[in-house]
Amino acid sequence: MQEADVESIASSGSLEGDIYANAPAGKATNFQTYVNVVSVLAGAGTLGLPAALRDAGWLGLLILALACAMAIYSNQKLIQCLYHDGRNRLREYPDVAHAAFGMPGRILVTFFYNSIALGGPVLYLILTGTNIHDLASSVGSTITLKQWIMVAAAIMTVPIIITKTMREVAVLSIFGALATTIVVFIVAVAAIVDSKNFDTIAAPGGVVGPVEHDIVIPRQLPIALATFAFSYGGNVIFPHVEESMKNKRAWNKIILWGILTVTALYFLCATTGYAVYGHGVKSPIYLNLPGGVTRTISTIIITLHVLLAIPLFMTTFNLQVERALKLEHRGLSKRAEWGYRAIIRTLSMILVATIALFFPYFGQMMSLLGALSDGMLTFVFPVVFYIKLFGIKKVGKLELLAMAFIVVIGVAGSAIGTVDAVKELAKAYRGELDH
């Protein structure tokens, strides 16, 4: 259903017959919005996709393509839900959930969203600690991975306390997208050069052995879908991105090209990494590169990216806590308010660091986060909310079939993927994984 269809449904509630008439006026051009979409999506999760193919086999590429199509469709529906009554635009994702299912809907979405807001920093602290440990070990450092995680957490507590609002940290997402893109191309070229051919592989440590691949591992497809869901996560921010647009009618095209762009990056990273390293591919992929300039550069760039991304997630979570506590409405002095804010944000960082210390496993944590929250937020909820707000009679039979397919695949993938991710995390914790 395109924009014109939504307008025809909702225009009866608008005096001008224009569902965008009462929407906030934005200033962002279509290209700026496209950059924002790509910046939100193209994160460090890209570097875990080759390992997802290792788990699922080459058929995982079809699952990636399916996830791409589902993400495009669901994100179009989510934004259409903002204008469901034809009069006033809803502001954000939880508002859509509240309009569809009342307070229970809002609570459910808020739970999943906060699991991402806290899970993201956990994932990035693990990656930061792993990267610094890798670099430091190469020059003889004896500091452990967990100690580096604690150092990174302590360092990042300072900007998290200083940063008050999302506006101050939003620009960091653009650097993140550029950093990920650069590293993907570095890894792709270096991996191909590193491989003598596609039958043998020069592994870190100098051992040359055969490369093995699988066509499909059916039991692992749900956990692969969970990883892909994590890579397409970010739609909780899209209502704010669309709100900033000057030409809001162009959203469907912008989200289409934005997701196709990052999908091309995903395919490049996933296929190159799995083709060259096969069963030996690691998560993140640049850990497969032999020690040298390319690996060092990739590690430094991604480390800077994830360090700067941590405040994006933590600020989002902390702002919700501070709003719930009505910190700005208690009549506190600026110094007292800053003190309470510092305590809240320090405690949240301690929580995140504690989880990272107990479960310092990047690939497994990414799969768990993708299955538990991103699958539902990205694929399932937008479709369910759309049907509830617009009514099932407004949807054609073919489109209804597509919606049912997305919901079934999304729910099943999230449920099975969560169970599998927990099992994989438990194995990693016991040291039973060989990758």
Short mmCIF file of all heavy atoms in Angstrom, two decimals, residues 17-83:
data_model
loop_
_atom_site.label_atom_id
_atom_site.label_comp_id
_atom_site.label_asym_id
_atom_site.label_seq_id
_atom_site.Cartn_x
_atom_site.Cartn_y
_atom_site.Cartn_z
N GLY A 17 -7.64 17.36 3.59
CA GLY A 17 -7.52 16.11 2.87
C GLY A 17 -6.07 15.69 2.72
O GLY A 17 -5.73 14.94 1.84
N ASP A 18 -5.22 16.16 3.58
CA ASP A 18 -3.80 15.87 3.49
C ASP A 18 -3.35 15.36 4.85
O ASP A 18 -3.37 16.09 5.84
CB ASP A 18 -3.03 17.14 3.11
CG ASP A 18 -1.53 16.89 2.99
OD1 ASP A 18 -1.11 15.72 3.19
OD2 ASP A 18 -0.80 17.85 2.70
N ILE A 19 -2.93 14.09 4.93
CA ILE A 19 -2.56 13.51 6.21
C ILE A 19 -1.30 14.14 6.79
O ILE A 19 -1.00 13.98 7.97
CB ILE A 19 -2.37 11.99 6.11
CG1 ILE A 19 -1.21 11.65 5.16
CG2 ILE A 19 -3.63 11.32 5.67
CD1 ILE A 19 -0.82 10.19 5.23
N TYR A 20 -0.53 14.85 5.95
CA TYR A 20 0.69 15.47 6.43
C TYR A 20 0.49 16.92 6.87
O TYR A 20 1.44 17.58 7.29
CB TYR A 20 1.76 15.43 5.33
CG TYR A 20 2.06 14.03 4.84
CD1 TYR A 20 1.63 13.59 3.58
CD2 TYR A 20 2.75 13.13 5.64
CE1 TYR A 20 1.89 12.31 3.15
CE2 TYR A 20 3.02 11.84 5.22
CZ TYR A 20 2.58 11.43 3.96
OH TYR A 20 2.85 10.16 3.52
N ALA A 21 -0.74 17.41 6.77
CA ALA A 21 -1.01 18.82 7.04
C ALA A 21 -0.63 19.21 8.47
O ALA A 21 -0.11 20.31 8.71
CB ALA A 21 -2.47 19.14 6.78
N ASN A 22 -0.90 18.32 9.43
CA ASN A 22 -0.64 18.65 10.83
C ASN A 22 0.65 18.03 11.36
O ASN A 22 0.91 18.06 12.57
CB ASN A 22 -1.81 18.19 11.70
CG ASN A 22 -3.09 18.93 11.36
OD1 ASN A 22 -3.07 20.13 11.10
ND2 ASN A 22 -4.20 18.22 11.33
N ALA A 23 1.44 17.46 10.44
CA ALA A 23 2.71 16.86 10.85
C ALA A 23 3.76 17.96 11.06
O ALA A 23 3.69 19.01 10.41
CB ALA A 23 3.19 15.87 9.80
N PRO A 24 4.72 17.75 11.94
CA PRO A 24 5.77 18.76 12.14
C PRO A 24 6.53 19.02 10.84
O PRO A 24 6.82 18.09 10.09
CB PRO A 24 6.69 18.09 13.18
CG PRO A 24 5.84 17.09 13.87
CD PRO A 24 4.87 16.59 12.84
N ALA A 25 6.79 20.27 10.58
CA ALA A 25 7.53 20.63 9.36
C ALA A 25 9.00 20.27 9.53
O ALA A 25 9.63 20.63 10.52
CB ALA A 25 7.40 22.13 9.09
N GLY A 26 9.51 19.51 8.58
CA GLY A 26 10.91 19.11 8.64
C GLY A 26 11.77 19.91 7.68
O GLY A 26 11.26 20.60 6.80
N LYS A 27 13.07 19.80 7.84
CA LYS A 27 14.00 20.53 6.99
C LYS A 27 14.93 19.60 6.20
O LYS A 27 15.61 20.05 5.28
CB LYS A 27 14.86 21.47 7.84
CG LYS A 27 14.06 22.57 8.54
CD LYS A 27 14.97 23.48 9.33
CE LYS A 27 14.18 24.60 10.02
NZ LYS A 27 15.07 25.50 10.81
N ALA A 28 14.96 18.32 6.53
CA ALA A 28 15.89 17.40 5.90
C ALA A 28 15.47 17.09 4.46
O ALA A 28 14.30 16.82 4.19
CB ALA A 28 15.98 16.11 6.69
N THR A 29 16.42 17.12 3.54
CA THR A 29 16.15 16.75 2.15
C THR A 29 16.04 15.23 2.05
O THR A 29 16.36 14.50 2.99
CB THR A 29 17.29 17.24 1.23
OG1 THR A 29 18.50 16.54 1.58
CG2 THR A 29 17.51 18.74 1.37
N ASN A 30 15.61 14.76 0.88
CA ASN A 30 15.51 13.32 0.67
C ASN A 30 16.87 12.65 0.82
O ASN A 30 16.99 11.57 1.41
CB ASN A 30 14.94 13.03 -0.71
CG ASN A 30 13.46 13.35 -0.81
OD1 ASN A 30 12.82 13.68 0.19
ND2 ASN A 30 12.91 13.30 -2.01
N PHE A 31 17.92 13.29 0.30
CA PHE A 31 19.25 12.70 0.39
C PHE A 31 19.74 12.66 1.83
O PHE A 31 20.34 11.67 2.26
CB PHE A 31 20.25 13.48 -0.48
CG PHE A 31 21.65 12.91 -0.44
CD1 PHE A 31 21.95 11.73 -1.10
CD2 PHE A 31 22.65 13.55 0.29
CE1 PHE A 31 23.23 11.18 -1.03
CE2 PHE A 31 23.92 13.01 0.36
CZ PHE A 31 24.22 11.84 -0.32
N GLN A 32 19.49 13.72 2.58
CA GLN A 32 19.89 13.74 3.99
C GLN A 32 19.17 12.63 4.77
O GLN A 32 19.75 11.98 5.63
CB GLN A 32 19.59 15.10 4.61
CG GLN A 32 20.52 16.21 4.12
CD GLN A 32 20.08 17.59 4.59
OE1 GLN A 32 18.89 17.85 4.77
NE2 GLN A 32 21.04 18.49 4.78
N THR A 33 17.90 12.43 4.45
CA THR A 33 17.14 11.37 5.10
C THR A 33 17.70 10.00 4.74
O THR A 33 17.81 9.11 5.59
CB THR A 33 15.65 11.45 4.70
OG1 THR A 33 15.15 12.75 4.99
CG2 THR A 33 14.83 10.41 5.44
N TYR A 34 18.06 9.83 3.47
CA TYR A 34 18.66 8.58 3.00
C TYR A 34 19.95 8.30 3.79
O TYR A 34 20.18 7.17 4.24
CB TYR A 34 18.94 8.69 1.51
CG TYR A 34 19.90 7.67 0.96
CD1 TYR A 34 19.47 6.38 0.64
CD2 TYR A 34 21.23 7.99 0.73
CE1 TYR A 34 20.36 5.44 0.13
CE2 TYR A 34 22.12 7.07 0.22
CZ TYR A 34 21.68 5.79 -0.09
OH TYR A 34 22.56 4.87 -0.60
N VAL A 35 20.78 9.32 3.96
CA VAL A 35 22.03 9.17 4.72
C VAL A 35 21.72 8.79 6.16
O VAL A 35 22.39 7.93 6.76
CB VAL A 35 22.87 10.47 4.67
CG1 VAL A 35 24.05 10.39 5.64
CG2 VAL A 35 23.36 10.73 3.25
N ASN A 36 20.69 9.39 6.73
CA ASN A 36 20.30 9.08 8.12
C ASN A 36 19.87 7.61 8.25
O ASN A 36 20.23 6.93 9.22
CB ASN A 36 19.18 10.00 8.58
CG ASN A 36 19.65 11.40 8.86
OD1 ASN A 36 20.83 11.63 9.12
ND2 ASN A 36 18.75 12.36 8.77
N VAL A 37 19.09 7.13 7.29
CA VAL A 37 18.62 5.74 7.31
C VAL A 37 19.80 4.78 7.24
O VAL A 37 19.91 3.83 8.03
CB VAL A 37 17.63 5.47 6.16
CG1 VAL A 37 17.38 3.97 6.01
CG2 VAL A 37 16.33 6.20 6.39
N VAL A 38 20.70 5.04 6.30
CA VAL A 38 21.88 4.19 6.14
C VAL A 38 22.74 4.24 7.40
O VAL A 38 23.26 3.22 7.87
CB VAL A 38 22.70 4.60 4.91
CG1 VAL A 38 24.02 3.83 4.84
CG2 VAL A 38 21.90 4.37 3.63
N SER A 39 22.86 5.42 7.99
CA SER A 39 23.67 5.59 9.20
C SER A 39 23.11 4.81 10.38
O SER A 39 23.85 4.25 11.19
CB SER A 39 23.78 7.08 9.57
OG SER A 39 24.42 7.80 8.54
N VAL A 40 21.77 4.77 10.47
CA VAL A 40 21.13 4.03 11.56
C VAL A 40 21.37 2.53 11.41
O VAL A 40 21.63 1.82 12.40
CB VAL A 40 19.62 4.32 11.59
CG1 VAL A 40 18.90 3.34 12.51
CG2 VAL A 40 19.38 5.75 12.06
N LEU A 41 21.31 2.03 10.16
CA LEU A 41 21.35 0.59 9.93
C LEU A 41 22.76 0.01 9.84
O LEU A 41 23.01 -1.10 10.31
CB LEU A 41 20.58 0.24 8.64
CG LEU A 41 19.08 0.50 8.67
CD1 LEU A 41 18.47 0.19 7.31
CD2 LEU A 41 18.40 -0.35 9.75
N ALA A 42 23.67 0.73 9.19
CA ALA A 42 25.01 0.18 8.89
C ALA A 42 25.91 0.27 10.10
O ALA A 42 26.72 1.18 10.22
CB ALA A 42 25.62 0.91 7.70
N GLY A 43 25.76 -0.68 11.01
CA GLY A 43 26.56 -0.68 12.22
C GLY A 43 27.51 -1.86 12.28
O GLY A 43 27.71 -2.58 11.30
N ALA A 44 28.08 -2.07 13.45
CA ALA A 44 29.07 -3.12 13.63
C ALA A 44 28.48 -4.52 13.46
O ALA A 44 29.21 -5.49 13.26
CB ALA A 44 29.71 -3.00 15.02
N GLY A 45 27.14 -4.64 13.53
CA GLY A 45 26.51 -5.94 13.32
C GLY A 45 26.80 -6.52 11.95
O GLY A 45 26.74 -7.74 11.77
N THR A 46 27.13 -5.66 10.99
CA THR A 46 27.47 -6.10 9.64
C THR A 46 28.61 -7.11 9.68
O THR A 46 28.64 -8.07 8.91
CB THR A 46 27.89 -4.89 8.78
OG1 THR A 46 26.89 -3.89 8.86
CG2 THR A 46 28.12 -5.30 7.34
N LEU A 47 29.55 -6.90 10.59
CA LEU A 47 30.76 -7.71 10.63
C LEU A 47 30.51 -9.10 11.21
O LEU A 47 31.41 -9.95 11.21
CB LEU A 47 31.83 -6.98 11.44
CG LEU A 47 32.15 -5.57 10.93
CD1 LEU A 47 33.11 -4.86 11.88
CD2 LEU A 47 32.73 -5.63 9.53
N GLY A 48 29.30 -9.36 11.71
CA GLY A 48 28.95 -10.69 12.20
C GLY A 48 28.20 -11.52 11.18
O GLY A 48 27.90 -12.70 11.44
N LEU A 49 27.91 -10.95 10.01
CA LEU A 49 27.11 -11.66 9.02
C LEU A 49 27.81 -12.87 8.39
O LEU A 49 27.15 -13.88 8.12
CB LEU A 49 26.65 -10.69 7.92
CG LEU A 49 25.71 -9.58 8.41
CD1 LEU A 49 25.32 -8.67 7.25
CD2 LEU A 49 24.46 -10.16 9.06
N PRO A 50 29.13 -12.82 8.12
CA PRO A 50 29.78 -14.03 7.61
C PRO A 50 29.61 -15.22 8.55
O PRO A 50 29.43 -16.36 8.10
CB PRO A 50 31.25 -13.61 7.47
CG PRO A 50 31.21 -12.14 7.29
CD PRO A 50 30.07 -11.67 8.15
N ALA A 51 29.66 -14.97 9.86
CA ALA A 51 29.46 -16.05 10.83
C ALA A 51 28.03 -16.57 10.78
O ALA A 51 27.79 -17.76 11.04
CB ALA A 51 29.81 -15.58 12.24
N ALA A 52 27.08 -15.69 10.44
CA ALA A 52 25.69 -16.14 10.29
C ALA A 52 25.57 -17.10 9.11
O ALA A 52 24.82 -18.08 9.18
CB ALA A 52 24.76 -14.94 10.10
N LEU A 53 26.31 -16.82 8.05
CA LEU A 53 26.33 -17.75 6.91
C LEU A 53 27.01 -19.06 7.30
O LEU A 53 26.60 -20.14 6.85
CB LEU A 53 27.05 -17.13 5.71
CG LEU A 53 26.26 -16.18 4.82
CD1 LEU A 53 27.06 -15.87 3.55
CD2 LEU A 53 24.90 -16.73 4.45
N ARG A 54 28.05 -18.98 8.10
CA ARG A 54 28.70 -20.21 8.59
C ARG A 54 27.70 -21.08 9.34
O ARG A 54 27.70 -22.31 9.19
CB ARG A 54 29.85 -19.81 9.52
CG ARG A 54 30.55 -20.99 10.21
CD ARG A 54 31.29 -20.50 11.45
NE ARG A 54 30.35 -20.01 12.46
CZ ARG A 54 30.66 -19.13 13.39
NH1 ARG A 54 31.87 -18.60 13.45
NH2 ARG A 54 29.76 -18.75 14.29
N ASP A 55 26.83 -20.47 10.11
CA ASP A 55 25.85 -21.21 10.90
C ASP A 55 24.71 -21.76 10.05
O ASP A 55 24.15 -22.81 10.36
CB ASP A 55 25.28 -20.33 12.00
CG ASP A 55 26.33 -19.94 13.03
OD1 ASP A 55 27.31 -20.68 13.18
OD2 ASP A 55 26.16 -18.89 13.68
N ALA A 56 24.35 -21.04 8.97
CA ALA A 56 23.17 -21.41 8.18
C ALA A 56 23.50 -22.06 6.84
O ALA A 56 22.65 -22.72 6.25
CB ALA A 56 22.31 -20.17 7.93
N GLY A 57 24.73 -21.86 6.33
CA GLY A 57 25.06 -22.34 4.99
C GLY A 57 24.71 -21.28 3.96
O GLY A 57 24.18 -20.21 4.28
N TRP A 58 25.04 -21.59 2.70
CA TRP A 58 24.82 -20.61 1.62
C TRP A 58 23.35 -20.21 1.48
O TRP A 58 23.05 -19.11 1.01
CB TRP A 58 25.32 -21.17 0.29
CG TRP A 58 26.81 -21.11 0.13
CD1 TRP A 58 27.68 -22.16 0.00
CD2 TRP A 58 27.62 -19.92 0.08
NE1 TRP A 58 28.96 -21.72 -0.11
CE2 TRP A 58 28.96 -20.35 -0.08
CE3 TRP A 58 27.36 -18.56 0.17
CZ2 TRP A 58 30.03 -19.45 -0.15
CZ3 TRP A 58 28.41 -17.66 0.09
CH2 TRP A 58 29.72 -18.10 -0.07
N LEU A 59 22.43 -21.08 1.88
CA LEU A 59 21.01 -20.73 1.79
C LEU A 59 20.68 -19.55 2.70
O LEU A 59 19.65 -18.90 2.53
CB LEU A 59 20.14 -21.94 2.16
CG LEU A 59 18.65 -21.82 1.82
CD1 LEU A 59 18.45 -21.73 0.31
CD2 LEU A 59 17.86 -23.00 2.38
N GLY A 60 21.57 -19.27 3.62
CA GLY A 60 21.38 -18.10 4.48
C GLY A 60 21.28 -16.80 3.70
O GLY A 60 20.67 -15.83 4.17
N LEU A 61 21.85 -16.77 2.49
CA LEU A 61 21.74 -15.58 1.65
C LEU A 61 20.28 -15.32 1.26
O LEU A 61 19.86 -14.17 1.13
CB LEU A 61 22.60 -15.72 0.40
CG LEU A 61 24.12 -15.67 0.63
CD1 LEU A 61 24.86 -15.95 -0.68
CD2 LEU A 61 24.53 -14.31 1.19
N LEU A 62 19.52 -16.41 1.06
CA LEU A 62 18.09 -16.24 0.77
C LEU A 62 17.36 -15.69 2.00
O LEU A 62 16.44 -14.89 1.86
CB LEU A 62 17.48 -17.57 0.33
CG LEU A 62 17.94 -18.13 -1.01
CD1 LEU A 62 17.24 -19.46 -1.31
CD2 LEU A 62 17.66 -17.12 -2.13
N ILE A 63 17.78 -16.15 3.17
CA ILE A 63 17.19 -15.62 4.41
C ILE A 63 17.52 -14.14 4.55
O ILE A 63 16.68 -13.34 4.99
CB ILE A 63 17.70 -16.40 5.63
CG1 ILE A 63 17.40 -17.90 5.48
CG2 ILE A 63 17.08 -15.87 6.91
CD1 ILE A 63 15.93 -18.22 5.38
N LEU A 64 18.74 -13.75 4.18
CA LEU A 64 19.12 -12.34 4.22
C LEU A 64 18.26 -11.52 3.26
O LEU A 64 17.80 -10.42 3.61
CB LEU A 64 20.60 -12.19 3.86
CG LEU A 64 21.16 -10.76 3.80
CD1 LEU A 64 20.92 -10.01 5.10
CD2 LEU A 64 22.65 -10.78 3.46
N ALA A 65 18.03 -12.05 2.06
CA ALA A 65 17.19 -11.35 1.09
C ALA A 65 15.75 -11.24 1.60
O ALA A 65 15.10 -10.20 1.43
CB ALA A 65 17.22 -12.08 -0.26
N LEU A 66 15.27 -12.30 2.24
CA LEU A 66 13.93 -12.28 2.82
C LEU A 66 13.85 -11.25 3.94
O LEU A 66 12.87 -10.48 4.02
CB LEU A 66 13.59 -13.66 3.37
CG LEU A 66 12.25 -13.81 4.11
CD1 LEU A 66 11.09 -13.52 3.16
CD2 LEU A 66 12.12 -15.19 4.74
N ALA A 67 14.87 -11.20 4.79
CA ALA A 67 14.90 -10.21 5.87
C ALA A 67 14.89 -8.80 5.30
O ALA A 67 14.25 -7.90 5.87
CB ALA A 67 16.13 -10.43 6.75
N CYS A 68 15.60 -8.58 4.20
CA CYS A 68 15.63 -7.28 3.54
C CYS A 68 14.22 -6.86 3.10
O CYS A 68 13.77 -5.75 3.39
CB CYS A 68 16.57 -7.33 2.34
SG CYS A 68 16.47 -5.89 1.23
N ALA A 69 13.53 -7.77 2.41
CA ALA A 69 12.18 -7.47 1.93
C ALA A 69 11.22 -7.21 3.09
O ALA A 69 10.40 -6.28 3.05
CB ALA A 69 11.67 -8.62 1.07
N MET A 70 11.32 -8.02 4.13
CA MET A 70 10.45 -7.86 5.30
C MET A 70 10.73 -6.53 6.00
O MET A 70 9.80 -5.85 6.46
CB MET A 70 10.65 -9.03 6.26
CG MET A 70 10.12 -10.36 5.75
SD MET A 70 10.68 -11.80 6.71
CE MET A 70 10.09 -11.42 8.36
N ALA A 71 11.99 -6.14 6.07
CA ALA A 71 12.35 -4.89 6.74
C ALA A 71 11.82 -3.69 5.97
O ALA A 71 11.31 -2.73 6.56
CB ALA A 71 13.88 -4.79 6.88
N ILE A 72 11.93 -3.72 4.64
CA ILE A 72 11.40 -2.62 3.82
C ILE A 72 9.90 -2.47 4.04
O ILE A 72 9.40 -1.37 4.31
CB ILE A 72 11.69 -2.87 2.32
CG1 ILE A 72 13.20 -2.77 2.05
CG2 ILE A 72 10.94 -1.86 1.44
CD1 ILE A 72 13.59 -3.23 0.66
N TYR A 73 9.19 -3.57 3.91
CA TYR A 73 7.73 -3.54 4.02
C TYR A 73 7.29 -3.09 5.42
O TYR A 73 6.43 -2.20 5.57
CB TYR A 73 7.17 -4.93 3.72
CG TYR A 73 5.67 -5.01 3.78
CD1 TYR A 73 4.89 -4.61 2.70
CD2 TYR A 73 5.02 -5.49 4.92
CE1 TYR A 73 3.50 -4.67 2.76
CE2 TYR A 73 3.64 -5.57 4.98
CZ TYR A 73 2.89 -5.16 3.89
OH TYR A 73 1.53 -5.22 3.96
N SER A 74 7.89 -3.67 6.46
CA SER A 74 7.48 -3.37 7.83
C SER A 74 7.78 -1.91 8.20
O SER A 74 6.98 -1.27 8.89
CB SER A 74 8.18 -4.31 8.81
OG SER A 74 7.77 -5.65 8.60
N ASN A 75 8.90 -1.38 7.73
CA ASN A 75 9.23 0.01 8.04
C ASN A 75 8.34 0.99 7.30
O ASN A 75 8.10 2.10 7.79
CB ASN A 75 10.71 0.27 7.71
CG ASN A 75 11.63 -0.29 8.77
OD1 ASN A 75 11.41 -0.13 9.96
ND2 ASN A 75 12.68 -0.98 8.35
N GLN A 76 7.85 0.62 6.14
CA GLN A 76 6.86 1.45 5.46
C GLN A 76 5.55 1.46 6.24
O GLN A 76 4.91 2.50 6.42
CB GLN A 76 6.64 0.94 4.03
CG GLN A 76 7.82 1.17 3.10
CD GLN A 76 7.62 0.57 1.72
OE1 GLN A 76 6.73 -0.25 1.50
NE2 GLN A 76 8.44 0.99 0.77
N LYS A 77 5.15 0.29 6.73
CA LYS A 77 3.90 0.19 7.50
C LYS A 77 4.00 0.94 8.83
O LYS A 77 3.03 1.55 9.28
CB LYS A 77 3.55 -1.29 7.76
CG LYS A 77 3.21 -2.05 6.50
CD LYS A 77 2.07 -1.38 5.76
CE LYS A 77 1.78 -2.04 4.43
NZ LYS A 77 0.83 -1.26 3.61
N LEU A 78 5.15 0.88 9.46
CA LEU A 78 5.32 1.56 10.74
C LEU A 78 5.07 3.06 10.59
O LEU A 78 4.35 3.66 11.41
CB LEU A 78 6.73 1.32 11.28
CG LEU A 78 7.10 2.10 12.55
CD1 LEU A 78 6.20 1.69 13.72
CD2 LEU A 78 8.56 1.89 12.91
N ILE A 79 5.63 3.67 9.58
CA ILE A 79 5.46 5.11 9.38
C ILE A 79 4.02 5.43 9.00
O ILE A 79 3.47 6.46 9.42
CB ILE A 79 6.44 5.63 8.31
CG1 ILE A 79 7.88 5.41 8.78
CG2 ILE A 79 6.19 7.10 8.03
CD1 ILE A 79 8.21 6.03 10.13
N GLN A 80 3.37 4.57 8.22
CA GLN A 80 1.97 4.80 7.88
C GLN A 80 1.09 4.77 9.13
O GLN A 80 0.09 5.48 9.21
CB GLN A 80 1.50 3.75 6.86
CG GLN A 80 2.12 3.95 5.47
CD GLN A 80 1.85 2.81 4.53
OE1 GLN A 80 1.02 1.95 4.80
NE2 GLN A 80 2.55 2.79 3.40
N CYS A 81 1.48 3.96 10.12
CA CYS A 81 0.72 3.89 11.36
C CYS A 81 0.74 5.22 12.12
O CYS A 81 -0.18 5.52 12.88
CB CYS A 81 1.28 2.79 12.26
SG CYS A 81 0.87 1.11 11.73
N LEU A 82 1.79 6.02 11.92
CA LEU A 82 1.88 7.32 12.60
C LEU A 82 0.74 8.24 12.19
O LEU A 82 0.35 9.14 12.93
CB LEU A 82 3.22 7.99 12.28
CG LEU A 82 4.49 7.27 12.74
CD1 LEU A 82 5.72 8.03 12.23
CD2 LEU A 82 4.55 7.16 14.26
N TYR A 83 0.19 8.02 11.00
CA TYR A 83 -0.85 8.89 10.44
C TYR A 83 -2.20 8.18 10.37
O TYR A 83 -3.04 8.54 9.55
CB TYR A 83 -0.45 9.34 9.03
CG TYR A 83 0.85 10.11 8.97
CD1 TYR A 83 2.06 9.46 8.74
CD2 TYR A 83 0.88 11.49 9.15
CE1 TYR A 83 3.26 10.16 8.68
CE2 TYR A 83 2.07 12.20 9.08
CZ TYR A 83 3.25 11.52 8.85
OH TYR A 83 4.43 12.23 8.79
#
